[in-house]
Amino acid sequence: EIRLSLVGSEMCIRDRNGKVQINNLLAPDSCFILTPGEQLEYNHLTKNYEKRKIDVMMASGWTRGELNFVDCHLEDILNTLGRHYNVEIKAEPHLYTNDLYTIKLRKGEPLQAAIHIVTMTVGGMESKVTDNKVVILTAASPANKSKKGGTHP
């Protein structure tokens, strides 16, 4: 028997012949059985659990040093990247939408490359990276650049 202590809850996990049983000790009627390729996600805001199928290679990428995001909001991706690279990442608020993205970053990916992958995946964004700060803005269209004093051929 293994006990895990999580912020706000306590759970007990037992091995059951290739299955994992999860019991919430604070709510004894809450029992979940997971088989390989399944994940249990807890939403601390709604206090709901969601059992779902996962891509095991993506979910276990952290064991290989990868940063993998599956069906994640831009805000969550940027928050994770900020913690991972120990930088402050700010984006224009309107860039945070309900859109979901799946992104895989290799082990050792430099910050500049990681931000480039994110901005290219989302589209319509550009970034400015300094030593410990990243700013993500709406990409200026060629028409907007010329109106703002860009050079003409």
Side-chain angles (χ1 to χ4, degrees):
E1 180 173 284
I2 299 172
R3 289 188 185 269
L4 299 176
S5 293
L6 306 173
V7 177
S9 64
E10 187 176 351
M11 295 183 179
C12 175
I13 301 176
R14 292 189 178 105
D15 178 33
R16 295 275 189 234
N17 297 324
K19 297 178 184 176
V20 175
Q21 178 177 323
I22 302 171
N23 294 333
N24 183 337
L25 299 177
L26 299 176
D29 58 333
S30 293
C31 175
F32 300 91
I33 296 178
L34 302 179
T35 58
E38 292 182 329
Q39 170 180 295
L40 184 68
E41 199 170 281
Y42 176 71
N43 182 321
H44 71 280
L45 297 175
T46 64
K47 307 218 183 303
N48 289 324
Y49 293 89
E50 180 183 351
K51 180 174 153 179
R52 62 181 172 157
K53 294 275 185 196
I54 59 166
D55 177 337
V56 175
M57 289 302 290
M58 289 291 278
S60 64
W62 65 270
T63 64
R64 297 179 299 280
E66 299 169 355
L67 280 176
N68 294 323
F69 303 95
V70 179
D71 293 335
C72 293
H73 293 99
L74 177 61
E75 185 173 15
D76 296 329
I77 294 169
L78 295 180
N79 287 338
T80 299
L81 290 177
R83 285 190 305 274
H84 182 77
Y85 289 99
N86 195 28
V87 296
E88 179 184 4
I89 301 179
K90 296 214 177 228
E92 293 177 335
H94 70 274
L95 293 173
Y96 296 131
T97 66
N98 288 327
D99 294 339
L100 299 174
Y101 303 97
T102 296
I103 298 173
K104 179 178 181 178
L105 300 173
R106 291 183 299 249
K107 179 180 182 177
E109 195 81 66
L111 171 62
Q112 183 77 35
I115 294 297
H116 179 73
I117 290 167
V118 171
T119 58
M120 294 302 292
T121 300
V122 174
M125 297 177 1
E126 58 186 31
S127 65
K128 296 178 183 179
V129 180
T130 61
D131 291 336
N132 61 351
K133 189 172 184 178
V134 177
V135 177
I136 297 181
L137 310 161
T138 304
S141 67
N144 287 344
K145 285 184 180 180
S146 65
K147 289 179 185 174
K148 292 183 180 181
T151 58
H152 295 281

